[in-house]
Amino acid sequence: MSIPRRIPGARAAPRHGVAPLALCALLGCSGAAQALHVSEFGAAPDDGKDDMAAISQAIQAAIQRGEREVLFDPGTYNMATACAIPGKSAGHYIGIFGATNLALIGRVNGAGEPATRLERNHPLHNDARPFHHLVIERSSHITIKNLVLANDPPFGSTGRVISVDRNSDVVVVEVLEGLPAYDGMRCASAHAWDLATGKLKRFGPTPTEATLTIGLNITQFWEAVPGTGARRLRMAGKGFAAKVAAGDGISWHHAAHECDNQTAVMYSRDVTFENVRFPNVTNMGMLAGYNRNLIFRRVAFRPEKGNLAVGGRDGMHLSMNSGRLLVEDCYFKGLRMDPLVIRKTFGLVKNIRADGGIIAKPAYEIPAGDKIRFWVGEEPQDRTVASCKSQGGGAYLYTFEQSIPPGAIVGTPLCYQTHALEEGIIRRCVFEDSFGSPIVNFEENITVEGCVFSNNSYQIKYGPNQTTGAFVRNNVFRNNVCEDVPWVDIAHRGQPSAIVIHSLNRYFKAPMFNAGILIRGNVFKNPGGDPGCVAIDVRNARDVEIRDNQFIGFERRVWTDAATTRDVRFGE
């Protein structure tokens, strides 16, 4: 299947543009690759047998022998038994540890879509805690290509509402054919959908009111209707009846958290996911942290087999990465939290020594010559690390080549520029029908261009939240289409908006550290015509340029907070 949207083309970059990525360098291009095939170790698709041991042996052999490609046939490879590599992982399915120049490559069909399915077969029950489907750790120049990473059974399900008794608060659903159900099934991250269109339904102005179940303490469980073999499920006394009607769809997940994420990419560099599909996931689709240089091209989170949602949490959660990031021609639909998160973490000054050194926590081993940013004063100030020493418990002692900035005190927030992106591009992607913010961005040097945003519940969010950050600086948002305004004001700003630039962080009072932001050439649509909506909400920012945008159906186009913004410029 191809991405079911028409993506607008990008225009020429304005002066705020970012230089193109050196893709060949990131991919580690070189001469002809050496390859082995998983069939050499006994893995065969579509035979119903557990291929996990054979696939693991093939990968470890490739790493040991210096082979550059592990190849798969088209079809479904089953993975029923988790593996472990002593000293590397407590458990996983596919594990790539300490590898260099390695690619896992499947086959494609006539439409160019991945035809190789790597299917994790973990039994589904309320206490299921499967290990990661794929782990990449402390490796370099790794490519995952032409693969479907799926679960069978999926860890979520969908039913059609066949009866609603509002007086008794009872809802009965018929689970769609081929999707899992059982008596007592946990009903986490549940939402209502329009089955005819496959669109997430809009109702309720707060996260709790706009969902059927939300949060981590799930108390809602389905009861099997007697005599139906659990193909019909009943929910009583949990408020569902007031929010749905016969014919609606309800999707839910087996848990809101607790098990490993579908994939993890940690402490690695030059990692590429290309033409990879995630039809259903456990927890987050991917956690990628402390890496350098990441490429995601034609990665799709798209539900299948009648299911309406992909998973219980975020799509891709990218944390504390550095170097260059490319997210291109990707598709995100049916995530129950934020499809794409780009974040880094604040540390805090815990002690200032007489010699000018500081102890900080949370903190990291920062090489001498790298910089730490102090968020203090009118503009953040960087200091070059001279030495770094662990103090235990996640704290580090740093000394600097210069004196620490004036005004820095115990409690001053820090950022570690070792773990900061030099350049990030999100290009020609589609974000639709997810219960979350399509993009949560806490980073610098990010360009979002040529993307489509449609029917997501929360605003596109730029700037730190309550506990983590950091601020958005040198960012471009251009030539995108926002087809409607989200209906839940997750930022607690009193008005829905398509994009919000702000700070909710508890460490700051009225900061203006979001800076150097260009919003240009976008189309903002408000087909619902809600007069309370705005297209762009700007707070806690300075040096913001908003120009050459189209606003359709808005009484108010842009709102700026006079108390926390400065130098916001407009143009046609």
Side-chain angles (χ1 to χ4, degrees):
M1 295 182 291
S2 60
I3 293 176
R5 309 287 304 195
R6 182 178 179 271
I7 312 297
R11 305 174 193 168
R15 60 184 176 84
H16 294 70
V18 181
L21 292 171
L23 295 181
C24 191
L26 293 185
L27 287 168
C29 301
S30 62
Q34 297 171 298
L36 60 79
H37 199 287
V38 294
S39 61
E40 299 175 35
F41 296 82
D46 301 325
D47 63 358
K49 297 180 180 179
D50 184 2
D51 297 300
M52 190 62 257
I55 292 172
S56 183
Q57 290 167 13
I59 292 171
Q60 300 315 311
I63 293 172
Q64 292 165 11
R65 288 157 34 180
E67 307 283 7
R68 300 195 62 175
E69 294 180 351
V70 176
L71 305 179
F72 296 80
D73 284 331
T76 298
Y77 292 86
N78 296 102
M79 300 177 177
T81 307
C83 302
I85 299 175
K88 300 292 187 182
S89 172
H92 61 272
Y93 286 76
I94 300 172
I96 300 174
F97 300 93
T100 301
N101 294 323
L102 180 67
L104 306 189
I105 303 177
R107 300 280 292 277
V108 298
N109 60 22
E113 296 292 320
T116 299
R117 187 179 180 96
L118 305 183
E119 196 169 79
R120 183 174 60 175
N121 307 128
H122 191 286
L124 177 59
H125 51 81
N126 285 342
D127 296 319
R129 305 286 187 272
F131 293 118
H132 291 102
H133 193 175
L134 167 65
V135 180
I136 301 170
E137 188 172 302
R138 302 189 186 278
S139 297
S140 65
H141 293 96
I142 306 299
T143 297
I144 309 298
K145 186 174 182 180
N146 303 336
L147 296 172
V148 180
L149 300 176
N151 302 290
D152 186 28
F155 278 68
S157 201
T158 295
R160 179 177 62 87
V161 177
I162 60 173
S163 68
V164 177
D165 184 340
R166 288 190 169 83
N167 292 330
S168 301
D169 190 15
V170 175
V171 171
V172 176
V173 301
E174 186 166 50
V175 179
L176 301 187
E177 184 177 356
L179 296 181
Y182 52 87
D183 187 36
M185 188 177 191
R186 183 187 288 187
C187 184
S189 303
H191 301 92
W193 297 70
D194 185 326
L195 274 177
T197 63
K199 304 293 288 181
L200 183 64
K201 292 195 72 172
R202 293 173 164 239
F203 58 89
T206 69
T208 300
E209 293 170 331
T211 56
L212 301 177
T213 64
I214 194 170
L216 304 182
N217 184 24
I218 301 301
T219 60
Q220 295 87 350
F221 298 86
W222 290 105
E223 174 188 350
V225 175
T228 67
R231 301 316 296 168
R232 291 190 175 186
L233 302 176
R234 177 179 181 270
M235 185 68 69
K238 300 298 183 179
F240 284 25
K243 297 181 177 181
V244 299
D248 284 349
I250 296 178
S251 68
W252 65 92
H253 206 62
H254 91 291
H257 67 316
E258 300 161 351
C259 62
D260 284 345
N261 302 309
Q262 191 77 19
T263 57
V265 182
M266 305 296 292
Y267 306 105
S268 296
R269 64 179 299 144
D270 303 316
V271 176
T272 297
F273 280 69
E274 183 168 356
N275 201 26
V276 176
R277 299 292 180 265
F278 293 90
N280 48 77
V281 301
T282 52
N283 213 357
M284 292 191 287
M286 178 183 296
L287 175 62
Y290 307 98
N291 305 290
R292 184 169 182 82
N293 300 335
L294 296 170
I295 292 177
F296 302 98
R297 185 183 290 111
R298 296 178 63 205
V299 173
F301 291 83
R302 181 188 294 115
E304 65 176 7
K305 299 179 180 178
N307 228 343
L308 293 171
V310 171
R313 291 193 62 194
D314 301 340
M316 297 194 308
H317 193 99
L318 313 180
S319 179
M320 301 289 283
N321 297 294
S322 64
R324 294 176 171 84
L325 167 70
L326 175 65
V327 182
E328 185 175 67
D329 296 316
C330 294
Y331 180 70
F332 302 85
K333 178 183 172 70
L335 278 307
R336 302 181 197 270
M337 290 182 72
D338 306 320
L340 178 60
V341 178
I342 308 170
R343 70 177 290 277
K344 55 187 176 186
T345 300
F346 285 121
L348 294 177
V349 176
K350 294 297 185 180
N351 181 269
I352 299 177
R353 294 166 32 121
D355 62 2
I358 66 167
I359 295 175
K361 181 180 178 179
Y364 307 91
E365 185 173 348
I366 303 300
D370 281 10
K371 297 184 183 298
I372 290 179
R373 176 160 295 174
F374 290 75
W375 295 97
V376 62
E378 285 290 309
E379 287 286 342
Q381 300 184 53
D382 293 347
R383 293 295 184 265
T384 304
V385 173
S387 66
C388 168
K389 184 177 181 181
S390 174
Q391 305 296 290
Y396 278 81
L397 167 64
Y398 303 106
T399 62
F400 300 96
E401 294 181 3
Q402 313 91 357
S403 60
I404 65 174
I409 60 174
V410 171
T412 293
L414 308 170
C415 277
Y416 305 96
Q417 299 305 96
T418 301
H419 304 294
L421 290 172
E422 299 164 14
E423 175 188 59
I425 296 177
I426 297 96
R427 177 189 293 145
R428 298 191 306 269
C429 297
V430 172
F431 301 83
E432 62 181 353
D433 296 303
S434 291
F435 197 85
S437 294
I439 297 177
V440 176
N441 178 21
F442 303 150
E443 263 281 13
E444 304 181 35
N445 310 317
I446 303 292
T447 295
V448 178
E449 60 184 359
C451 296
V452 172
F453 303 89
S454 178
N455 201 44
N456 303 289
S457 65
Y458 302 163
Q459 300 104 318
I460 302 165
K461 291 198 302 184
Y462 277 28
N465 64 13
Q466 288 87 347
T467 59
T468 192
F471 290 91
V472 171
R473 300 169 70 82
N474 187 32
N475 265 240
V476 177
F477 187 85
R478 67 174 171 230
N479 303 333
N480 303 292
V481 176
C482 298
E483 294 187 335
D484 47 39
V485 177
W487 65 98
V488 178
D489 177 26
I490 189 62
H492 307 295
R493 292 312 191 183
Q495 60 191 5
S497 61
I499 180 171
V500 59
I501 303 166
H502 68 152
S503 171
L504 294 175
N505 198 273
R506 64 187 180 184
Y507 304 137
F508 303 90
K509 185 180 292 185
M512 296 187 189
F513 288 137
N514 295 304
I517 300 167
L518 173 66
I519 302 175
R520 182 176 185 180
N522 305 285
V523 178
F524 296 95
K525 299 180 181 179
N526 183 21
D530 182 348
C533 296
V534 296
I536 305 167
D537 187 330
V538 183
R539 307 164 191 256
N540 306 109
R542 67 178 73 184
D543 185 21
V544 179
E545 184 176 351
I546 301 172
R547 60 179 303 139
D548 305 325
N549 300 289
Q550 297 182 53
F551 300 92
I552 301 170
F554 288 92
E555 294 183 12
R556 299 185 302 159
R557 299 177 174 185
V558 180
W559 189 91
T560 59
D561 178 23
T564 63
T565 59
R566 190 164 66 203
D567 189 20
V568 178
R569 305 180 301 281
F570 299 91
E572 296 300 329

